[in-house]
Structures are given as structure tokens and as C-alpha cells.
Amino acid sequence: VFPWFGLDIGGTLVKLVYFEPKDITAEEEEEEVENLKSIRKYLTSNIAYGSAGIRDVHLELKELTLCARKGNLHFIRFPTHDMPAFIHMGSEKHFSSLHTTLCATGGGAHKFEQDFRTMGDLQLCKLDELDCLIKGVLYIDSVGFNGHSECYYFENPTDAERCQKLPFNLENPYPLLLVNIGSGVSILAVYSKDNYKRVTGTSLGGGTFFGLCCLLTGCSTFEEALEMASHGDSTKVDKLVRDIYGGDYERFGLPGWAVASSFGNMMSKEKRESVSKEDLARATLVTITNNIGSIARMCALNENINRVVFVGNFLRINTISMRLLAYALDYWSKGQLKALFLEHEGYFGAVGALLELLDSA
Amino acid sequence: MAERGGRGAHGRLDKSITLPPHEIFRNLENAKRFAIGGSLTKLAYYSTVQHKVARVRSFDHSGKDLEHEPLYEISVQEEITARLHFIKFENTYIETCLDFIKDHLVNTETKVIKATGGGAYKFKDLIEKKLGLKVDKEDVMTCLIKGCNFVLKNIPHEVFAYQKDSDTEFRFQTNHPNIFPYLLVNIGSGVSIVKVETEDQFEWIGGSSIGGGTFWGLGALLTKTKKFDELLQLASKGQHTNVDMLVKDVYGGAYQTLGLSGNLIASSFGKSTTADKEFSKEDMAKSLLHMISNDIGQLACLYAKLHNLDKIYFGGFFIRGHPVTMRTITYSINFFSKGEVQALFLRHEGYLGAIGAFLKGAEQDNPNQYSWGENYAGSSGLMSTSPDVFPMQRCRSGTFDMLEMDRLERPLVNLPLLKDPSTYIPDTVDLTDDAMARKYWLTCFEEALDGVAKRAAASQPDSVDAPERAEKFRQKYWNKLQTLRQQPFAYGTLTVRSLLDTREHCLNEFNFPDPYSKVKQKENGIALKCFQSVIESLDSLGWEERQFALVKGLLAGNVFDWGAKAVSDVLESEPQFGFEEAKSKLQERPWLEDSYSQWLKRLKEGPPHKCALIFADNSGIDIILGVFPFVRELLSRGTEVILACNSGPALNDVTYSESLIVTERIAAMDPVIQSALREEKLMLVQTGSSSPCLDLSRLDKGLAVLVRERETDLVIIEGMGRAIHTNYYAALKCESLKLAVIKNSWLADRLGGKIFSVIFKYEVPCK
């Protein structure tokens, strides 16, 4: 029974995947209730919804076969603080009359369950977010990205000139370290399709980058923060090894360019006064990214895994962080660890939720 | 002097405070070697200290009237010992200090000063110009590790765990005989994680750029607060939940399938992702503190796991004496290691770099060959820098701080007979933990102080300045006691032993090396005169009766103890209080702790012991009429005896050199003792200690060697200080006998008895 939705309600963003059937028969068309049709039209004919809802058109998976149906998979996101409006809209459009199950994952599935029930007359099917995440990753990787590879890596990450993005074949993915960078970070060791464990997590994630940027620069969107970061110079803010030792710290094999103290230069009043907002945004990005890289690397070593897949919306339009992660993992592991990335960054939980819906049907 | 309230409500340091250089740069005249380091200035030097020691020497008695001559001669001599001084002061005072050093540094042959840390680079020129010494820079981390190894090995109770919301903020650890391997996490502006495997072998295994500099730099940007201390103050008042996104903010509650509590931070600063809301400075500082502490703790745990280490010591300016950061780091380690790893801190963490730099320069003096002891009289101790605790102390500690280590004449080692050296705790009651006991004992020592000072002055009737020095002693010890009332953890775990030792150190400080020397001399003389009649009466008894009489004699002898107030009262008023009267004061059997029957059975039925080690207590009646008859009986059974006495004086305890003279005199009267000495069946050794208590993990190496050689299978510990205040619960590998008379009614009450109750504890290790 349509509609097919998968919902992932995170701390900052709600991710919604919607399967638009393209093989609807005339008979089906006939029977399709009005509000179902209007939902389909609304979602597929727009690329923006309300003030902050966005459809990532470039991620759309075309002519996908799901449960013997052909169609397109759409990827939509909106801020979690718009959840009440979303539920309200669902109730206005009489979503409940469709008698469909709404599969949802992420913390918000728990937090908003009550609201869905009382305001939208909807019973959520709550799903574990890590189960959904892994399911989504494995599925999307297997179907590919419209004929291209979903998974990629950066070759020569240590060389700015020669660094390039290349496809990676994730056919035999196990064991795998999966690092999901949303508002916070979860790190999973995946040994098979249904054997995984959460190794650890850190609260220094995308939310921290964005939150600190808002406080330090007065920016108001993630895009704005990233844009600023792209024009900044973090070495004005951070204290590097060479700032302390004049060059490399040979006793410990530390290169002079390595950051010795994030924001370390900001201990000095003069330097605080001379840095730009862009520099601060860049330093925040570098600090958070390097830290995630460092924790991921330690987890990979402890779990004896050498492939690390980074996902999550922190990486959306964030090439700086991806290249930094690729570089850091490669450099500090002396080439032993490989950083991998996936095109659908933050949508795997929602995809997993959709798949659960179809499995249960 | 540092003024009260110098660090006011706003935490600003009043620049009018001046350092008292005479108070802190002690003994500079004799300084030999220097090191300097750190962001606060830490200065280390090695000097020689001249102090007076009491020596005893046997008279030549040939043809003299033994009746009216004292037993031996007491002379006070100058002795030179080595001392390490470590001083810490704010960089603001460096010029004043360098000037003072220059004026007083007269005897040094040194041409170089070893330096490490940021300050060393910064003040290189100033130091070279002012002192005319060449500054020799040393690697920071090498110095840090060297210093760390030194304090871990040499300072008891150096290591502590921090416990929040507990009566005892600081929980001190016993020194482990093997300190390696360990992880040192140094949180300066960045974080260095170093694995230390042996004395000279260490490896930088990782680090993080998110450290103290991040807290400070980012904190200054966010809150416009410039000083590190002020940022910590802000943080301690803030609510991080206003800024951080918690698990419950995302989930509405806990994330149950993963067991993540709703109060965990899901995303640091996750709530500040908006341009139009104001956040308080306090809340942001708190959030930042949590973010950084958690991150460091997490990385430290990951490194500890990868390298299979369970001891993590934290240091660096981020930690240094700040309960706020110790608390958050402890929380983080506990969380990420699931309680498997404990965050540990060091009492002298701030000195490590300077100590290490100094040791590097002093390698020719071989400081690592010796044992060292903290001089409680000269060290300022650990200060709690909780914003609300004792503002005067806090202000002073922010200005300067000192540590003094005395080089001990002889290396100290564990008693080989300790059952488990790594868990041995000498002290019976932890006064840091037990507030009631602490109150009692501090008051007790305060009340006894006037008497001690009076006795000290009286012990040197020929010295003009004795009363003045005694008053200075009184004042110093009084201040120490007041400090300990406020900060019981200042010198590690507070115990009756540490209170007694501190008093001895303070007495030495003012040249009262042995206030009881004359008393001991007199008592030894009196007791020797009674020796033969005591032996005769013992010999007239049947075997079983004699055994009981010997034990009673040992106990009665133990009543003579100038350390206990109740006894000193009696002795001051009734100097003739005799051996027999003491016996009559003793509790009748059954004693408070009474395993005499087992002991008797053991003597009756078991084979003679191979060798007994006896730790003697008091001079006079105790050693001569109590211990020696007992020793004589053991020797007669075919048991060899090692008699261990203190190396230096403490109260009226018999010292090693006094024991030599006393034994010689007894041998002259008694053929059993004489032949045992000749055949080396009775051996006199020194403990290496000058304490009225006994730490079996720090004993003279010679004693330990002898104990092993002679296959010692019985240890006898006598007296309140050695068998009750310490070692009451000490577990040994061989049979042991702990006996004492409780001469303190409060303690007797605690143990469920009355004053003059008897402890007779005979223990056989379970197989």
C-alpha cells in the first residue's frame, strides 16, 4: 500500500525518503485516493517545502525496482524544529486516512511519537536507528547511484595537487568501521549484515561545529558556516607544532604543520583581535573534523579494522572535512587505514526505515 | 607575606603582594645545582643542609664510679645532609626572585642551569644576565617523565584519585613497588599521551590538539573572559544542559537499546545552533569544559586499551590542582572505560618538569640511587583550589609553593616478609576519611604542643636561644595543624603517623634534634641497674610462668612512652613510677585483644623459631627490662634475634646507636647476651626510620638483606606507634606478634576497651 516513506528524525535534521512509483497502472490511478495523489504531486513537483524543507534532487535514484515496483527514490530533509509543522500538515492532509504505517527511526521517532499520535492520529512504527543505518548503507551501495558507484575515496589525500575523488567497490564490505556524523557521532564496527556493535560515540559532531560557529561568527545556517570556513585560515587560530618548536618536534616525530593546540593562539589577546570570522569558522571545522578522525582511527586500531566509512549530514557539501579525514587517516596510520565516503551521506537511516516498511509488508 | 584576600572575589591577583624570599628560598647559600621550568616558574636546587644531631658515645668507664656517672655521653654535632628544594611561583615574581638568588648564591660551583618548559625559553636571557649562569635547555617531555618516575618512587601517597561529592576529595594510593608501565596524559595547551615503560624508556603514542589551550582560547572567544582560572570559575557555576544537546533532547528520554542515559551529551553546543539566542558565559564555559574533558578522557581510554595499560596519570596546567577539571576528567575516564580504568593524579604534578630537568643535570650525584623523604616542615603541601575553600590558602598557593625532599642516608626497601607489598597500608586509621578521628587527633596534638615545646626548650638548657627556637617550632607546627584542619589531604593521607612525623620534622627544623636525649640517658641508666634482678626473678620461675612474666614485662615496659599524654602526665609528676607499678596498671587477662594462649601453645609445641625480627620501641625500662629478657629467652630456645631500632631519634624511642651501648652494657652483665653477640646470633640493625611509627615498605636495605639471609620466621612489633597506629592490620608471610598497651583513652574507647588495655595479637599466616 502506498505511500512508501522512510523517516529519520535526528537531533538537527529530519530525513525523509519517498518512493514515487512510476509504473502506476490506469486501474491503480483510478483507485488512488485524492489525498495520496496530492501528496505525490506535492513532493515530486517541488524542490523546496515550506521555509526550510529541501529535496536533494541530485541524489534522486531513478528507475529503482523495489518490491517489484519501479519508481524513483526521493531524498528530502528539513530541520527537526519544524517537526510540529510537519505533523500538523500530515493531519491537515488526512494522512491517517491512508491507513499506512509510517516507519520512523532516529531519536525523534521516540520524542515525537506522542505528537504523531495525538496531533496526527498516526501510529509510528519505531525502528532502531543503527539497524536502519546499516541496512540503508548496504542497500544503497548495492543498487548503486544511477549507474555510478555510491562509495568513493580520495586518492593521494596527502597531496593537494594530485588529490582526486575515485569510485570504490564496496562489494565485500566486512569488517567495516561506520562513522555516522550527525549532530553527534556514533561509531559502529560492522562484521556482517546483522552483526555489528556500537564501539563508541562522541558529542563533538556536526552540531558542535555548527553550534560553535553560530556563537563565534553569528552565522545562522550550516551552509553559511561552511562557506565562511572555506575562506578562512585555521593556522591563525590554532597553535601548530612549529609555533612551539620552530619546526618539527623530532623527538616525537611530530611534523611542524600538525596542530598542537586547537584555538591555542586564541589564548593571546592580540591574536584574538586579529583573526577573522572566516578563520574561526575554519578552525572550528578543522578541530571537529580532526578529532573525529582521531577517534575513528583509534577505534579502527582497537577493533583491527582498516576500512572506515564516514556518513552523516555533517559531510554534506563539506569537501574540506572529507579530504581532511582522508588525509588524517592516511597520514597518521602511515597508509594503513582508508577513509571511504558515500554519496547519500545522511539519508541511510531513512532508507533503512523505508526498507523495514517493505520487509514488514 | 602574602596578604589575606589577595585573590579577591574576582580572582584578580593583587600586584602588591610580595614574596617572602627568605621563607621560600631556604638554604640557597649551599645550593649546588639548579633547574628551572614551566609557565609558573618552578625552580629546583640541590643543597646541603647543616643540622644538629644528637650523638651518643660510650664513656671509657675504666676506674670510674659507675654509680654516679651517666651511662654514656651525649653530644650535639653538626651533620650535613643533602636536600632537594623545589619552588613554584608566578612568573610575575621572577625578577625579584632572580635578584634574591643572585645575592644569596655564594657557594655554588655550577656554571649552568638546566631549564625546561615555556618559561625557560621566555626567561633565558633574563636568567643568564642576572645569575651569570648558562641556561641549558632540556626536552620538556623527557624532564616530565624523569620527574614523574622520581615522585612515583620516592614520595609516599604521591598518587591520588579524585572523588567528587565525597568527604575526602582526594583518595591517596599506596605506592606500588613496580611503577611501570603507565600512561602519562599531559594536558597543556594540547594533549600528549606518553607510555612509560622503564626508567629511561618512554614513547609518545599519541596526542590531541583539543586541550587546555582550546579551553582557554575558545573560552576567551566565547565569554570574553581572559584568564584560565576565571574561565574555570565560570564553568563551575554554569549549566551545560542549556547549551548542549542531550540524548533526551533527541530521544525525549534515554536511548534504551544502547543503554545511553537521557542526560548524556549527544552533541556539544548542539543547542547553540541558532543566531538569535543568547547563552550565558557560565553555561558556555561549562559546556566547553565538558566537551574538552570528555574528549581527552575518551582518547586516553582508547590509547590505554590499545596499549593494554590500566594506570593513567593526568597532569599539565589544565589539571594542576583544579578540582573542577579533575572531576570532569575522572567522570570521563570512568564513563568511557566503564569503570575499568581509574584517573589518577599526582600531588606534585606541577613540579615534574623542574624535578626532571634538575635530575638530568644532577646525574653525577646519582639521585636515583638514594631514597628520599618529603620534609613536611618545609613543604607547603597540596592545596585544594576549590573556589570556596579556604581563600587564604588558595591565595598563598597561587603565589608560591614549595617541596623539600631530604636525601636519606640509606636506601629504603620493602620488608621481604610483607605478604603483599602492593596492597600494604601501614596506617590503621585514615584520618582524611574519618572526620571524627581527625578532629580528635588534631586536638590531641594541639593540646600536647605546649608541653612538647617546653620540653624541647628544656632539653637544651645551655642554649640561649632555645626558648625562642622552641616558640618558633610551636608556631610552625601549630600552623601545620591548622592547615591540616582545613586541608587534611595536604601531605597525602592524614594519619597519626604523618602528624607525629611532621612534628619531628618541625623539631629538627629548629635544631631540636633529640629533645628526649637526656631523659633517655637517665632512664637507660636506671633500667640497667635493675636488669640483673629482673633476670634473676625470671629465672626463678617455672617455664610457663616465665613465659607469661616475659610478656607482661614487655607490655609493662611499653607503658613508658613519652609520646602519650596520659603517661607523660604521670611521669612528669611521679618520676619514680616504676616497672612494678606499671605492671600493676596493666589490664588483667583476657586482654582486649588476646591470643596469648595460642602463642604459649606455639612455644610449647612448635619447634623453636629460626630467627625473630624485633622492632623495639622505647628507651629505658621498655628496651632493657622488657625487650632484652624476652630476647634472652628466644636466644636460649635457639632462635636468632635481629633487634631493629630507629636510625634517628623520635620521642623517647631507642635509637640504633643507643641500642649499641645498652646492649654492650647488658652483655657485660649477661653471658647469654654476650655469647649471642659474639656468635652473631643477636644482631642489632637500624630501621632507616626516624619515626615513632613504622612503615614496613620503607625499611633499611641492610635490615632487609639480613632478614632474608637469616630466614626470619617471626616478626615482633611492639608499641602503640608501631603496632596500633600502624601495622595493626599488616599481613605478613610469617608468624607475627603485635603487642602494645593503649595509653590513650579515646583510642582505647574506639577499640572497645579502657586506658591501659592490652593488645596481644599473635598471627599465623593462613596457608
Side-chain angles (χ1 to χ4, degrees):
Chain A
V1 196
F2 292 116
W4 291 354
F5 282 115
L7 195 58
D8 176 4
I9 312 167
T12 312
L13 282 177
V14 182
K15 283 76 65 175
L16 178 73
V17 294
Y18 168 64
F19 184 77
E20 173 204 3
K22 290 297 235 184
D23 54 358
I24 297 177
T25 57
E27 200 178 325
E28 277 178 320
E29 182 98 45
E30 194 78 356
E31 277 177 20
E32 195 175 34
V33 292
E34 200 46 46
N35 51 0
L36 183 56
K37 208 170 287 174
S38 87
I39 287 170
R40 179 155 53 95
K41 286 257 165 62
Y42 175 68
L43 289 176
T44 56
S45 59
N46 289 304
I47 56 164
Y49 316 92
S51 60
I54 284 172
R55 182 154 63 89
D56 283 313
V57 184
H58 67 287
L59 292 179
E60 183 177 333
L61 291 178
K62 298 211 165 79
E63 290 174 45
L64 203 62
T65 310
L66 250 181
C67 280
R69 298 303 300 252
K70 258 193 168 32
N72 296 343
L73 198 56
H74 297 276
F75 298 87
I76 297 161
R77 60 185 152 89
F78 60 89
T80 304
H81 59 74
D82 287 345
M83 249 342 259
F86 177 78
I87 297 170
H88 188 68
M89 186 181 76
S91 118
E92 278 193 335
K93 299 209 179 234
H94 301 288
F95 203 87
S96 59
S97 67
L98 297 171
H99 301 293
T100 181
T101 318
L102 190 53
C103 278
T105 187
H110 301 264
K111 187 179 175 183
F112 295 103
E113 187 188 15
Q114 182 80 7
D115 294 346
F116 270 103
R117 199 169 32 235
T118 55
M119 287 165 61
D121 192 25
L122 269 168
Q123 186 62 41
L124 281 191
C125 170
K126 287 179 295 176
L127 298 164
D128 181 76
E129 65 175 299
L130 301 181
D131 289 342
C132 288
L133 175 67
I134 289 168
K135 211 169 173 142
V137 166
L138 296 175
Y139 174 75
I140 297 287
D141 184 67
S142 71
V143 298
F145 184 21
N146 298 327
H148 299 285
S149 172
E150 170 72 14
C151 183
Y152 60 94
Y153 71 103
F154 289 92
E155 193 169 68
N156 303 316
T158 47
D159 185 337
E161 299 282 300
R162 288 161 53 227
C163 174
Q164 58 173 323
K165 179 177 162 182
L166 288 175
F168 186 85
N169 185 344
L170 204 59
E171 242 175 301
N172 299 306
Y174 312 112
L176 182 80
L177 199 73
L178 186 59
V179 182
N180 185 31
I181 318 174
S183 316
V185 182
S186 269
I187 300 180
L188 319 177
V190 188
Y191 301 100
S192 75
K193 185 164 74 62
D194 36 31
N195 178 18
Y196 74 88
K197 66 172 181 189
R198 183 178 187 273
V199 180
T200 189
T202 165
S203 69
L204 285 82
T208 314
F209 161 66
F210 184 29
L212 280 174
C213 270
C214 290
L215 294 171
L216 293 170
T217 70
C219 70
S220 53
T221 66
F222 181 70
E223 290 76 5
E224 202 185 329
L226 278 181
E227 177 63 19
M228 274 200 207
S230 70
H231 298 296
D233 178 0
S234 61
T235 65
K236 294 198 172 127
V237 180
D238 295 339
K239 198 178 272 258
L240 307 186
V241 168
R242 65 163 179 258
D243 296 333
I244 302 174
Y245 297 100
D248 298 348
Y249 187 19
E250 278 154 25
R251 179 81 179 73
F252 290 153
L254 286 176
W257 53 259
V259 183
S261 173
S262 298
F263 287 84
N265 280 341
M266 298 298 92
M267 290 188 276
S268 130
K269 189 169 176 282
E270 297 77 55
K271 289 189 173 151
R272 278 202 296 277
E273 281 159 3
S274 71
V275 292
S276 69
K277 288 183 172 183
E278 287 76 12
D279 295 338
L280 291 172
R282 179 64 165 241
T284 311
L285 188 64
V286 169
T287 301
I288 299 298
T289 305
N290 275 338
N291 189 59
I292 294 169
S294 178
I295 292 173
R297 184 172 62 87
M298 287 310 295
C299 290
L301 287 175
N302 270 322
E303 301 300 321
N304 206 11
I305 295 176
N306 54 30
R307 276 183 303 194
V308 185
V309 178
F310 293 94
V311 296
N313 268 322
F314 173 64
L315 300 175
R316 195 174 62 79
I317 57 163
N318 187 357
T319 323
I320 299 175
S321 288
M322 286 193 279
R323 285 182 48 176
L324 209 51
L325 286 169
Y327 180 95
L329 243 59
D330 184 77
Y331 182 87
W332 294 109
S333 75
K334 302 190 172 72
Q336 293 301 298
L337 297 177
K338 199 172 203 75
L340 303 172
F341 304 94
L342 297 174
E343 298 284 0
H344 287 82
E345 288 133 3
Y347 283 109
F348 299 106
V351 171
L354 173 69
L355 295 171
E356 287 285 348
L357 168 76
L358 301 179
D359 280 358
S360 65
Chain B
M1 276 297 286
E3 289 164 34
R4 181 186 256 278
R7 203 171 269 249
H10 303 290
R12 195 149 291 163
L13 189 76
D14 186 342
K15 293 293 177 208
S16 70
I17 295 174
T18 52
L19 284 184
H22 287 279
E23 199 181 310
I24 59 174
F25 292 109
R26 295 159 29 112
N27 243 353
L28 206 53
E29 290 76 6
N30 300 314
K32 304 288 182 217
R33 198 159 272 119
F34 268 94
I36 193 162
S39 48
L40 286 172
T41 303
K42 268 93 66 174
L43 190 72
Y45 57 94
Y46 172 73
S47 75
T48 50
V49 195
Q50 244 186 10
H51 51 171
K52 293 197 163 45
V53 287
R55 292 240 185 270
V56 293
R57 207 181 58 190
S58 212
F59 282 125
D60 177 10
H61 282 277
S62 51
K64 286 228 174 121
D65 175 10
L66 284 177
E67 282 300 304
H68 299 98
E69 280 290 322
L71 182 61
Y72 47 79
E73 182 186 24
I74 304 168
S75 62
V76 172
Q77 295 174 4
E78 294 285 342
E79 192 186 61
I80 293 177
T81 56
R83 180 175 282 177
L84 278 172
H85 301 252
F86 303 104
I87 303 157
K88 193 159 76 171
F89 52 85
E90 291 194 350
N91 286 343
T92 334
Y93 304 109
I94 189 145
E95 288 220 49
T96 325
C97 290
L98 289 175
D99 284 335
F100 184 86
I101 292 168
K102 195 179 115 215
D103 294 344
H104 290 78
L105 196 63
V106 286
N107 283 328
T108 185
E109 311 113 42
T110 309
K111 294 282 175 290
V112 293
I113 175 165
K114 292 280 180 187
T116 185
Y121 291 77
K122 205 158 141 194
F123 298 118
K124 181 175 183 285
D125 293 343
L126 187 68
I127 297 165
E128 292 191 335
K129 198 183 89 202
K130 290 250 184 198
L131 300 185
L133 297 173
K134 191 178 160 290
V135 171
D136 208 355
K137 282 184 271 184
E138 288 290 340
D139 176 66
V140 181
M141 201 51 72
T142 311
C143 292
L144 212 58
I145 307 277
K146 250 192 166 12
C148 192
N149 291 340
F150 183 80
V151 297
L152 285 176
K153 272 190 307 192
N154 289 296
I155 308 188
H157 294 156
E158 176 61 27
V159 178
F160 63 91
Y162 184 81
Q163 291 181 317
K164 72 163 186 175
D165 306 327
S166 150
D167 194 33
T168 42
E169 262 181 294
F170 304 95
R171 180 149 294 278
F172 294 94
Q173 317 267 304
T174 40
N175 285 30
H176 200 277
N178 188 12
I179 61 169
F180 304 109
Y182 65 85
L183 206 60
L184 179 69
V185 178
N186 194 59
I187 316 176
S189 43
V191 181
S192 284
I193 302 177
V194 183
K195 175 179 162 186
V196 186
E197 279 172 298
T198 65
E199 192 62 55
D200 316 290
Q201 207 185 341
F202 66 89
E203 189 193 348
W204 185 89
I205 56 170
S208 169
S209 66
I210 300 186
T214 316
F215 179 70
W216 194 343
L218 198 46
L221 288 167
L222 292 172
T223 67
K224 315 277 177 257
T225 303
K226 288 170 204 140
K227 284 190 177 162
F228 180 74
D229 282 8
E230 290 170 14
L231 278 166
L232 279 181
Q233 289 251 21
L234 278 182
S236 63
K237 285 180 263 169
Q239 272 297 336
H240 74 102
T241 53
N242 293 334
V243 183
D244 290 343
M245 184 186 283
L246 308 185
V247 166
K248 69 179 172 204
D249 295 321
V250 184
Y251 276 79
Y255 184 176
Q256 267 148 359
T257 43
L258 287 181
L260 299 179
S261 134
N263 288 320
L264 281 180
I265 303 169
S267 174
S268 296
F269 288 90
K271 277 185 192 156
S272 68
T273 52
T274 161
D276 32 60
K277 207 176 144 195
E278 288 287 315
F279 296 90
S280 84
K281 289 178 178 187
E282 288 81 1
D283 294 350
M284 289 188 289
K286 181 61 169 276
S287 175
L288 188 61
L289 175 68
H290 276 304
M291 175 180 110
I292 289 166
S293 303
N294 285 338
D295 192 54
I296 294 169
Q298 178 171 27
L299 279 166
C301 285
L302 285 166
Y303 278 101
K305 189 178 169 200
L306 189 64
H307 292 265
N308 206 10
L309 298 167
D310 58 0
K311 275 179 286 189
I312 312 184
Y313 302 114
F314 286 89
F317 80 76
F318 185 68
I319 294 295
R320 199 148 304 155
H322 300 296
V324 190
T325 53
M326 288 196 267
R327 174 185 297 199
T328 51
I329 286 285
T330 300
Y331 169 85
S332 170
I333 289 291
N334 195 36
F335 175 78
F336 285 107
S337 77
K338 301 187 173 71
E340 278 172 27
V341 177
Q342 200 172 28
L344 297 170
F345 305 95
L346 302 170
R347 208 146 57 87
H348 298 102
E349 185 277 319
Y351 292 105
L352 301 185
I355 295 177
F358 173 80
L359 292 175
K360 269 209 87 116
E363 265 152 10
Q364 69 190 78
D365 293 328
N366 262 325
N368 266 323
Q369 263 188 0
Y370 296 92
S371 290
W372 298 80
E374 180 171 2
N375 176 24
Y376 293 139
S379 301
S380 36
L382 183 71
M383 299 298 164
S384 171
T385 40
S386 317
D388 310 319
V389 168
F390 210 24
M392 190 178 81
Q393 284 293 348
R394 185 174 151 68
C395 126
R396 189 173 79 44
S397 101
T399 313
F400 71 90
D401 222 21
M402 288 145 55
L403 163 67
E404 290 182 3
M405 301 282 293
D406 282 332
R407 193 177 81 192
L408 308 176
E409 288 305 301
R410 308 164 66 96
L412 302 182
V413 296
N414 274 312
L415 178 67
L417 296 170
L418 276 179
K419 194 164 190 184
D420 179 9
S422 63
T423 56
Y424 167 71
I425 298 170
D427 307 286
T428 307
V429 182
D430 178 344
L431 300 181
T432 8
D433 217 13
D434 186 336
M436 264 212 341
R438 177 169 75 236
K439 230 179 192 163
Y440 169 77
W441 284 110
L442 284 170
T443 308
C444 185
F445 276 87
E446 275 171 15
E447 284 172 2
L449 182 52
D450 282 346
V452 176
K454 231 177 251 163
R455 173 157 297 280
S459 73
Q460 297 178 359
D462 303 333
S463 163
V464 193
D465 66 344
E468 190 191 326
R469 281 185 287 118
E471 174 53 25
K472 280 185 182 160
F473 151 74
R474 199 193 61 77
Q475 199 57 49
K476 180 141 200 168
Y477 189 56
W478 178 264
N479 289 342
K480 291 271 168 197
L481 291 173
Q482 300 323 303
T483 302
L484 288 166
R485 266 195 198 277
Q486 301 291 341
Q487 329 236 59
F489 45 77
Y491 298 94
T493 302
L494 183 68
T495 60
V496 174
R497 176 168 64 111
S498 71
L499 286 169
L500 284 163
D501 288 353
T502 307
R503 190 166 72 185
E504 295 299 325
H505 292 179
C506 290
L507 280 166
N508 275 329
E509 183 79 19
F510 296 100
N511 275 322
F512 294 109
D514 192 358
Y516 290 85
S517 57
K518 293 226 169 61
V519 178
K520 290 187 287 182
Q521 179 194 40
K522 190 173 146 209
E523 284 184 11
N524 284 335
I526 295 169
L528 273 174
K529 283 179 193 142
C530 310
F531 179 75
Q532 268 171 316
S533 66
V534 166
I535 291 293
E536 275 160 29
S537 90
L538 282 167
D539 283 350
S540 71
L541 299 172
W543 185 84
E544 202 161 318
E545 260 183 308
R546 188 166 71 245
Q547 301 314 310
F548 188 61
L550 283 166
V551 165
K552 253 188 118 172
L554 205 51
L555 291 165
N558 201 250
V559 174
F560 293 85
D561 182 351
W562 286 84
K565 198 169 173 292
V567 177
S568 60
D569 286 350
V570 179
L571 275 178
E572 297 273 13
S573 56
E574 300 171 57
Q576 294 307 314
F577 185 69
F579 190 44
E580 289 310 314
E581 286 163 83
K583 277 191 194 167
S584 70
K585 283 237 179 195
L586 287 181
Q587 182 192 15
E588 289 296 321
R589 283 193 69 197
W591 293 322
L592 185 53
E593 168 86 46
D594 192 342
S595 35
Y596 178 72
S597 310
Q598 288 94 309
W599 168 246
L600 190 69
K601 189 163 181 274
R602 164 66 184 87
L603 288 182
K604 210 189 274 176
E605 294 168 12
H609 295 92
K610 242 189 193 129
C611 175
L613 167 66
I614 303 180
F615 289 99
D617 187 9
N618 306 323
S619 278
I621 291 172
D622 191 5
I623 178 94
I624 294 164
L625 304 182
V627 175
F628 262 98
F630 197 85
V631 167
R632 190 173 172 273
E633 180 76 15
L634 284 171
L635 290 167
S636 311
R637 275 172 63 85
T639 302
E640 296 180 339
V641 176
I642 303 170
L643 184 61
C645 301
N646 266 3
S647 301
L651 298 173
N652 66 331
D653 290 3
V654 59
T655 64
Y656 171 66
S657 41
E658 287 159 357
S659 78
L660 289 177
I661 296 171
V662 163
T663 309
E664 184 194 326
R665 251 348 105 69
I666 291 174
M669 296 186 273
D670 187 302
V672 180
I673 300 292
Q674 188 166 47
S675 69
L677 273 179
R678 201 175 46 232
E679 292 161 24
E680 291 191 355
K681 291 198 155 118
L682 170 61
M683 293 146 284
L684 295 147
V685 292
Q686 50 183 314
T687 58
S689 160
S690 307
S691 165
C693 294
L694 179 63
D695 179 352
L696 296 176
S697 66
R698 278 167 74 84
L699 287 175
D700 190 272
K701 202 171 176 180
L703 183 154
V705 169
L706 198 59
V707 159
R708 217 180 266 124
E709 262 176 25
R710 298 295 167 121
E711 298 173 45
T712 304
D713 53 357
L714 173 66
V715 174
I716 300 170
I717 307 175
E718 181 217 3
M720 221 162 67
R722 290 173 183 78
I724 296 182
H725 290 318
T726 54
N727 299 308
Y728 191 64
Y729 299 117
L732 298 171
K733 284 189 216 160
C734 65
E735 289 171 53
S736 64
L737 205 53
K738 296 165 189 169
L739 27 81
V741 178
I742 306 172
K743 288 151 289 186
N744 172 295
S745 54
W746 183 88
L747 186 63
D749 192 48
R750 260 243 165 159
L751 295 171
K754 291 200 176 80
I755 191 151
F756 297 118
S757 286
V758 169
I759 297 293
F760 186 96
K761 202 176 180 188
Y762 168 62
E763 289 165 302
V764 183
C766 38
K767 285 274 145 56

